[in-house]
């Protein structure tokens, strides 16, 4: 019996080996063809051939070489174009540095296999699929492999290139234009044509633009949480995966919040190479785009960062046998995408100037105005959990953890202790309590009812304090009144309602919520003197909705939420958001839950406060509540370095009352246990940081191990020392695990 089994295994192994050999033999022609094309495309610049060939992909023959020609110029930049393969280069006239879309041959050929060396010469990468397959199978290609027909049309400040891929019968335009200190790359949605058997999934323009080698000095930045930085390294492992993140969060609604990757809060990426740098920002179509960073060691030894433009997504479809399979969405996302590259050189070539450039873009083109007045006291961020339900067998029990009167008493006590400014936020203030959605609009009678909330709001207004009412208008639990699980919820591309495995939790259609928001929420609260609504959820999730009555793209969903925020501003004067996705910034008077940490990718060397540098001095923001810190001193110093406001989450009653509720994470919240520490830390921050609270951050850098510096717009410097020893910086002593502020000129 054993011998028979062994013989079967031997025959099976031999059969597999023969099959593999046959597959390799069949693949050799296309592999050799691709490598031949790679070698052709990698000829030195003075030997490059024209690429407007009529021969099918794989049969391209050498033609007359072409060189780069100048097609546009500004005071700072020159745009160069190579007609043979449509490669571009941008010359920085301030120092002559050349940013190239194709990696120079001597660098590209140094490391990596031939196919990826060829890929480094590509003007675009592309992902496509055959929709007729029983399950989704995507394929990747690039301009070197496909040898597209190219038709270039000169523009006043650039060039438009039409690409036709004969093998795939896909075509599209890419427009390259210079605008001041920037290059703009646009893919017009209406220019895309595709075949019945080949559907476009994604395009990545300029995937190797400015790619850096291991021997060069510099780093890449990408929007992982607050921001992440990866330096170029001579010695590095081979990485299995790059950084790939969907702008504003995952395409797919997740019901599992454990080990969730940090959102790409901003549609940005950047590269510093020696004394030169660029910031890439997606200014159009960012809702359907990914940010990619591939460190040297992932497939090839080059550090590169770029964007990927999404034209189709995958979804789960039900097959005839009842099983699930992945399928591509039927409709092409026919929208314009624009990526803007802003260039820096010399002392400006760092992530601090990148952040300043993005802040200026938001001010100039998105209309963001400062919400912080010059000289305004630092606010004390005060979350108050008012009420929450405890699940019981017959009826849920409402637990009042802080009444409206007790909230007023807490604020009065803080004022007596010297807190000059309070920004309060109420959680669970309705009859349904915290985390029960839809939660309605009626203030809970067990907390003091509408009259109690009215008195609290009048108190805060009289003292010039903020008072936000937090609620969630995107999630809903089955069994809670106020929505229909058939008509009001988000529907996936498979035409089923998006819900968890138990069909208990749903997401609400943003269009329908927006239509009802004024009548159902704002009007009943009209007589309250609150600051505005704090919108939970809209800053950390975004999704497509195929609801037949109100279909929405990701941009459409976000736009409806922003309309709701606008209505809060119109009625009360302000609105706030939890999560920090970039689209919420223009409408927010305060930002909640801005992350301090990145996702922890193996190749990430530093977390950087890129997001905070963009918004500091414009909008106050908070992160995790200080009474929930796992390392109080270290995280307090991180708050100071990153410019957060002091922030606590309290209850009047003991947190033990929450142990049988859905919010047991608030493990220590009793006000009387925390008030002394909270006031001490608030006073410390106010005393030292008041002069810089309303200023923008213009520079952030690491001075030495565990010592960081932040420079503000008036030249004041914040120095934070995380080390267990005293350090001396420019003659200034910084105590261990502490910080100092050095005034301008000091």
């Amino acid at each position: 019996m054993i011998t028979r089994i062994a013989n079967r295994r031997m025959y099976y192994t031999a059969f597999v080996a023969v099959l593999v050999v046959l597959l390799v033999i069949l693949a050799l022609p296309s592999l050799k063809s691709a490598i031949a094309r790679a070698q052709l495309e990698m000829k030195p610049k003075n030997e490059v051939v024209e690429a407007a060939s009529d021969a099918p992909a794989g049969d391209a023959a050498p033609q007359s070489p072409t060189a780069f020609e100048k097609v546009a110029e500004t005071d700072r930049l020159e745009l160069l174009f190579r007609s043979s393969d449509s490669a571009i280069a941008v010359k920085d006239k301030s120092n002559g540095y050349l940013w190239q879309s194709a990696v120079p041959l001597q660098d590209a050929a140094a490391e990596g296999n031939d196919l990826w060396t060829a890929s480094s010469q590509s003007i675009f990468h592309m992902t496509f699929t055959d929709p007729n397959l029983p399950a989704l199978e995507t394929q990747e290609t690039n301009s070197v492999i496909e040898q597209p027909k190219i038709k270039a049309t000169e523009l006043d400040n650039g060039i438009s290139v039409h690409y036709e891929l004969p093998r795939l019968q896909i075509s599209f335009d890419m427009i390259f234009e210079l605008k001041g200190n920037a290059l703009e790359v646009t893919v017009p949605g209406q220019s895309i044509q595709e075949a019945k058997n080949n559907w476009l999934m994604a395009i990545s323009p300029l995937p190797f633009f400015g790619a850096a080698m291991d021997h060069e000095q510099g780093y890449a930045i990408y929007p992982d949480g607050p921001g992440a930085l990866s330096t170029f390294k001579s010695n590095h492992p081979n990485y299995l995966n790059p950084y790939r993140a969907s702008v504003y969060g995952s395409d797919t609604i997740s019901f599992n919040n454990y080990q969730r990757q940090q959102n790409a809060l901003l549609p940005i990426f950047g590269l510093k190479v020696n004394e030169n740098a660029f910031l890439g920002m997606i200014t159009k179509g960012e809702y359907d785009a990914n940010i990619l960073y591939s460190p040297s060691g992932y497939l090839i030894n080059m550090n590169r960062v770029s964007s990927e433009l999404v034209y189709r997504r995958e979804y789960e479809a039900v097959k005839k046998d009842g099983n699930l399979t992945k399928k591509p969405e039927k409709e092409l996302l026919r929208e314009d995408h624009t990526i803007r590259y802003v260039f820096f050189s010399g002392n400006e070539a760092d992530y601090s100037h990148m952040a300043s450039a993005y802040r200026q873009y938001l001010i100039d083109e998105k209309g963001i105005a400062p919400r912080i007045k010059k000289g305004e006291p630092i606010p004390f961020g005060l979350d108050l959990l008012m009420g929450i339900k405890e699940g019981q067998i017959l009826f849920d029990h409402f637990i009042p953890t802080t009444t409206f009167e007790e909230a007023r008493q807490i604020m009065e006590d803080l004022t007596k202790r010297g807190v000059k400014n309070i920004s309060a936020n109420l959680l669970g203030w309705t009859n349904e309590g915290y985390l029960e959605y839809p939660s309605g609009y009626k203030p809970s009678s067990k907390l003091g009812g509408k009259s109690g909330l009215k008195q609290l709001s009048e108190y805060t207004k009289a003292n010039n304090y903020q008072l936000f009412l937090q609620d969630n208008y995107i999630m809903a639990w089955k069994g809670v009144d106020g929505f229909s699980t058939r008509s009001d919820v988000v529907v996936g591309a498979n035409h089923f309602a998006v819900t968890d495995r138990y069909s208990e939790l749903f997401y609400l259609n943003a269009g329908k919520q927006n239509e009802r928001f004024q009548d159902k929420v704002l009007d009943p609260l009209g007589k309250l003197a609150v600051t505005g609504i704090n919108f939970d959820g809209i800053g950390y999730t975004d999704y497509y909705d195929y609801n037949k009555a109100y279909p929405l793209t990701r941009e459409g969903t976000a736009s409806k939420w922003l309309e709701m925020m606008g209505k809060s501003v119109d009625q009360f004067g302000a609105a706030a958001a939890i999560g920090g996705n970039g689209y919420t910034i223009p409408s927010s008077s305060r930002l909640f839950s801005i992350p301090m940490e990145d996702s922890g990718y193996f190749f990430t060397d530093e977390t950087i406060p890129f997001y905070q540098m963009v918004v500091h001095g414009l909008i106050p923001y908070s992160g995790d509540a200080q009474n929930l810190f796992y390392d109080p001193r270290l995280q307090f110093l991180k708050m100071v370095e990153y410019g957060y406001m002091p922030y606590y989450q309290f209850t009047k009653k003991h947190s033990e009352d929450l142990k049988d509720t859905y919010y047991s994470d608030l493990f220590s919240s009793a006000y009387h246990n925390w008030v002394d520490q909270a006031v001490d830390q608030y006073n410390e921050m106010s005393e030292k940081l008041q002069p810089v609270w309303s200023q923008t951050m213009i520079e952030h850098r690491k001075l030495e191990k565990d010592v960081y510096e932040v420079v503000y717009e008036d030249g004041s410097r914040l120095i934070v020392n995380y080390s267990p020893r005293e350090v001396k910086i420019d003659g200034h002593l910084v105590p261990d695990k502490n910080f100092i502020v050095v005034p301008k000129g000091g």
Side-chain angles (χ1 to χ4, degrees):
M1 182 67 178
I2 296 175
T3 303
R4 186 179 301 171
I5 293 173
N7 287 337
R8 286 183 178 177
R9 288 180 177 173
M10 182 179 67
Y11 294 146
Y12 176 75
T13 303
F15 172 75
V16 171
V18 171
L19 182 61
V20 170
V21 171
L22 288 173
L23 290 174
V24 170
I25 291 172
L26 290 173
L28 275 175
S30 59
L31 181 61
K32 290 179 178 178
S33 176
I35 292 175
R37 291 194 298 275
Q39 294 169 339
L40 178 65
E41 287 298 318
M42 291 190 302
K43 286 181 178 293
K45 293 178 185 177
N46 62 349
E47 298 179 14
V48 176
V49 302
E50 293 183 356
S53 170
D54 291 330
D59 297 329
Q63 299 179 15
S64 302
T66 62
F68 278 108
E69 295 182 0
K70 183 169 67 174
V71 294
E73 185 175 11
T74 65
D75 292 340
R76 174 70 180 269
L77 305 173
E78 289 182 2
L79 175 61
L80 309 176
F81 179 75
R82 193 164 65 195
S83 61
S84 58
D85 59 354
S86 78
I88 68 160
V90 176
K91 182 179 180 180
D92 189 334
K93 293 161 62 176
S94 68
N95 61 3
Y97 189 80
L98 203 64
W99 294 96
Q100 300 188 62
S101 66
V103 177
L105 175 62
Q106 64 272 21
D107 294 326
E111 297 286 352
N113 60 56
D114 286 338
L115 283 176
W116 269 96
T117 301
S119 177
S120 71
Q121 309 302 298
S122 301
I123 196 73
F124 63 81
H125 287 180
M126 192 177 75
T127 306
F128 65 97
T129 189
D130 182 348
N132 301 309
L133 297 174
L136 176 67
E137 294 181 15
T138 59
Q139 299 181 61
E140 296 184 7
T141 188
N142 58 59
S143 61
V144 171
I145 290 176
E146 295 303 325
Q147 291 285 288
K149 295 180 179 179
I150 297 171
K151 181 179 180 181
T153 304
E154 290 192 15
L155 306 174
D156 290 340
N157 56 344
I159 195 162
S160 176
V161 185
H162 179 73
Y163 298 97
E164 182 180 342
L165 285 58
R167 180 177 73 92
L168 302 179
Q169 295 182 291
I170 294 176
S171 62
F172 57 90
D173 294 349
M174 286 176 61
I175 301 171
F176 305 95
E177 297 177 287
L178 293 185
K179 294 185 177 180
N181 185 31
L183 165 72
E184 286 197 346
V185 182
T186 299
V187 180
Q190 293 302 319
S191 71
I192 300 171
Q193 302 295 324
E194 57 184 4
K196 293 181 180 179
N197 296 330
N198 290 309
W199 283 4
L200 179 64
M201 297 294 289
I203 297 173
S204 182
L206 306 186
F208 280 83
F209 186 69
M213 304 302 117
D214 292 346
H215 65 271
E216 293 178 292
Q217 299 294 313
Y219 52 75
I221 66 161
Y222 35 99
D224 186 17
L229 180 150
S230 178
T231 57
F232 309 151
K233 307 170 185 68
S234 298
N235 297 315
H236 55 75
N238 290 325
Y239 298 103
L240 296 178
N241 295 296
Y243 170 81
R244 177 190 294 268
S246 177
V247 174
Y248 304 144
S250 173
D251 295 340
T252 305
I253 293 176
S254 173
F255 294 91
N256 179 10
N257 290 325
Y258 297 103
Q259 297 180 339
R260 187 178 67 182
Q261 179 179 323
Q262 292 283 1
N263 273 14
L265 299 176
L266 301 174
I268 61 92
F269 54 92
L271 200 69
K272 171 181 168 63
V273 184
N274 300 320
E275 298 303 315
N276 295 275
F278 71 74
L279 171 69
M281 59 177 89
I282 308 174
T283 58
K284 288 184 182 178
E286 67 271 24
Y287 292 87
D288 299 299
N290 299 321
I291 304 298
L292 309 178
Y293 166 59
S294 298
S296 182
Y298 175 68
L299 301 177
I300 191 172
N301 284 346
M302 296 180 194
N303 301 279
R304 63 271 189 200
V305 62
S306 63
S307 61
E308 182 180 54
L309 314 179
V310 178
Y311 294 96
R312 272 191 180 85
R313 289 177 165 82
E314 63 181 42
Y315 70 95
E316 282 192 339
V318 180
K319 298 193 295 185
K320 292 181 180 179
D321 60 7
N323 293 320
L324 295 176
T325 185
K326 296 286 187 181
K327 298 287 285 185
E329 293 176 335
K330 293 182 180 179
E331 298 299 323
L332 180 78
L333 298 172
R334 198 173 290 280
E335 61 182 353
D336 294 348
H337 288 88
T338 298
I339 308 103
R340 181 183 301 176
Y341 294 81
V342 182
F343 299 95
F344 309 88
S345 61
N347 293 332
E348 294 183 350
D350 57 35
Y351 63 81
S352 296
H353 285 83
M354 296 181 199
S356 294
Y358 194 72
R359 182 198 317 119
Q360 200 60 47
Y361 158 74
L362 293 179
I363 293 172
D364 294 343
E365 300 186 37
K366 297 297 182 180
I368 293 179
R371 309 287 197 270
I372 302 174
K373 298 178 181 178
K374 294 297 182 183
E376 182 178 78
I378 296 177
F380 182 101
L382 175 64
D383 267 17
L384 291 171
L385 178 61
M386 312 302 289
I388 191 169
K389 285 184 177 180
E390 177 185 13
Q392 295 186 350
I393 296 176
L394 294 178
F395 300 101
D396 291 343
H397 172 59
F398 186 93
I399 302 174
T401 54
T402 311
T403 66
F404 297 131
E405 173 60 23
E406 289 170 338
R408 184 184 63 79
Q409 292 172 5
I410 288 174
M411 293 185 204
E412 284 183 340
D413 186 58
L414 288 171
T415 304
K416 291 177 182 178
R417 291 170 179 264
V419 174
K420 301 175 183 178
N421 189 10
I422 296 175
S423 180
N425 176 49
L426 305 186
L427 296 75
W429 53 276
T430 68
N431 283 326
E432 296 295 335
Y434 188 47
L435 298 179
E436 289 284 328
Y437 307 123
S439 60
Y441 62 89
K442 294 181 179 180
S444 172
S445 58
K446 294 184 178 181
L447 301 175
K450 190 171 183 178
S451 62
L453 181 55
K454 187 173 187 295
Q455 291 175 14
L456 175 61
S457 68
E458 289 172 350
Y459 167 80
T460 56
K461 183 177 181 180
N463 286 273
N464 201 28
Y465 295 158
Q466 289 185 330
L467 181 65
F468 289 99
L469 302 180
Q470 179 175 320
D471 214 337
N472 187 310
Y473 302 101
I474 71 172
M475 299 172 70
W477 290 96
K478 185 177 181 180
V480 179
D481 293 336
F483 80 105
S484 167
T485 58
R486 299 184 63 183
S487 59
D488 292 339
V489 299
V490 173
V491 175
N494 57 9
H495 307 299
F496 290 102
V498 176
T499 184
D500 64 349
R501 65 174 65 184
Y502 306 108
S503 297
E504 292 287 339
L505 180 59
F506 296 84
Y507 279 73
L508 297 171
N509 177 269
K512 293 191 174 184
Q513 285 294 98
N514 179 45
E515 287 181 345
R516 301 168 183 170
F517 184 63
Q518 186 70 50
D519 295 338
K520 299 295 184 181
V521 178
L522 292 184
D523 288 348
L525 301 176
K527 295 183 180 180
L528 298 176
V530 299
T531 304
I533 303 296
N534 180 19
F535 293 83
D536 188 5
I538 70 172
Y540 56 79
T541 188
D542 193 13
Y543 43 74
Y544 269 83
D545 189 350
Y546 296 85
N547 186 304
K548 287 185 178 180
Y550 220 129
L552 292 168
T553 63
R554 278 166 60 95
E555 183 173 6
T557 295
S559 69
K560 296 304 176 185
W561 290 336
L562 295 181
E563 287 182 26
M564 293 167 68
M565 293 186 75
K567 292 175 181 178
S568 174
V569 173
D570 292 341
Q571 180 155 316
F572 298 120
I578 297 177
N581 277 351
Y583 51 79
T584 64
I585 294 176
S587 301
S588 295
S589 294
R590 183 177 163 192
L591 295 164
F592 288 76
S593 297
I594 305 304
M596 286 186 183
E597 301 293 341
D598 55 66
S599 302
Y601 284 90
F602 188 67
F603 44 73
T604 296
D605 296 295
E606 294 275 352
T607 307
I608 58 172
F610 192 96
Y611 187 99
Q612 289 82 354
M613 294 186 73
V614 169
V615 300
H616 192 275
L618 300 177
I619 306 171
Y621 49 90
S622 55
D624 295 333
Q626 290 170 253
N627 51 307
L628 301 180
F629 280 174
Y630 60 86
D631 188 330
R633 191 59 189 174
L634 182 147
Q635 289 177 275
F636 173 71
L637 292 177
K638 198 69 169 286
M639 280 182 55
V640 170
E641 179 192 350
Y642 281 25
Y644 288 88
M645 63 193 292
Y647 173 58
Y648 284 84
Q649 195 168 99
F650 289 146
T651 57
K652 182 65 174 178
K653 295 180 175 59
H654 288 282
S655 56
E656 286 83 353
D657 295 341
L658 305 175
K659 66 182 187 322
D660 294 323
T661 71
Y662 288 111
Y663 199 47
S664 57
D665 292 344
L666 190 59
F667 52 83
S668 183
S669 61
Y671 172 73
H672 65 271
N673 289 337
W674 285 97
V675 60
D676 291 337
Q677 174 187 308
V679 171
D680 286 346
Q681 289 191 339
Y682 171 80
N683 288 336
E684 181 183 6
M685 293 180 72
S686 293
E687 179 183 345
K688 296 181 179 179
L689 299 172
Q690 177 60 45
V692 300
W693 168 247
S694 59
Q695 296 188 43
T696 57
M697 295 179 179
I698 62 171
E699 193 167 0
H700 175 273
R701 59 175 175 258
K702 184 176 183 178
L703 298 179
E704 58 183 68
K705 180 178 172 56
D706 296 327
V707 182
Y708 293 83
E709 180 183 69
V710 180
V711 181
Y712 292 87
E713 61 183 75
D714 73 346
S716 298
R717 296 185 295 153
L718 165 70
I719 303 174
V720 181
N721 177 18
Y722 291 91
S723 71
R725 68 189 188 285
E726 182 182 69
V727 297
K728 191 172 185 179
I729 304 294
D730 297 334
H732 301 283
L733 291 177
V734 188
D736 59 290
K737 296 184 179 181
N738 214 318
F739 68 96
I740 63 170
V741 175
V742 181
K744 178 183 179 181

